[in-house]
Amino acid sequence: MAFWTEKTLEEMTAEEWESLCDGCGKCCLHKIRESSGTLKLTNVACRLLDTDSCRCANYPRRKVLVPDCVVLTPTTLPAIDWLPDTCAYRLLGEGKDLPPWHPLQIGRAHV
């Protein structure tokens, strides 16, 4: 069985956690929360986003280099409402499975 169906997010190793990312890069886009509470995505990316790979150019130091970077963890996940509907972290956090096209489902994980 696949690890993401057997473990909670909290039980995953760091490598398993990181492998959940499908590389969409949407979490690295700047967002605007309007006074109404509505969230708007922009097409402006974090300066560390490598747009060729859709990966952070300096992932280990991202929080130091970009202090407002949100570090996604099992603890911070419940408070984050802006992850895309297709995000593995969001899906698994909501008790759903990964979509059939996800890199882990098709054997092409990014780790």
Side-chain angles (χ1 to χ4, degrees):
M1 290 205 74
F3 72 86
W4 63 89
T5 63
E6 297 177 333
K7 296 181 177 183
T8 66
L9 293 172
E10 294 81 10
E11 294 171 332
M12 291 181 188
T13 66
E15 185 174 317
E16 289 168 338
W17 173 266
E18 294 299 330
S19 73
L20 295 175
C21 178
D22 66 17
C24 76
K26 291 179 183 176
C27 58
C28 297
L29 295 177
H30 291 277
K31 297 136 195 84
I32 299 170
R33 187 163 314 266
E34 297 180 340
S35 58
S36 65
T38 303
L39 189 70
K40 300 283 185 178
L41 290 179
T42 70
N43 62 356
V44 179
C46 169
R47 64 185 174 89
L48 293 179
L49 180 65
D50 177 336
T51 55
D52 291 328
S53 69
C54 279
R55 298 286 176 185
C56 183
N58 199 334
Y59 191 75
R61 297 194 63 230
R62 66 195 183 281
K63 187 70 175 167
V64 172
L65 298 171
V66 181
D68 61 344
C69 177
V70 176
V71 177
L72 188 61
T73 68
T75 304
T76 61
L77 181 63
I80 299 172
D81 65 349
W82 43 258
L83 293 171
D85 293 341
T86 58
C87 177
Y89 300 107
R90 179 177 180 168
L91 291 169
L92 295 177
E94 294 173 350
K96 299 174 184 171
D97 197 4
L98 300 180
W101 52 261
H102 190 278
L104 287 172
Q105 295 277 39
I106 61 173
R108 300 173 79 194
H110 286 65
V111 176

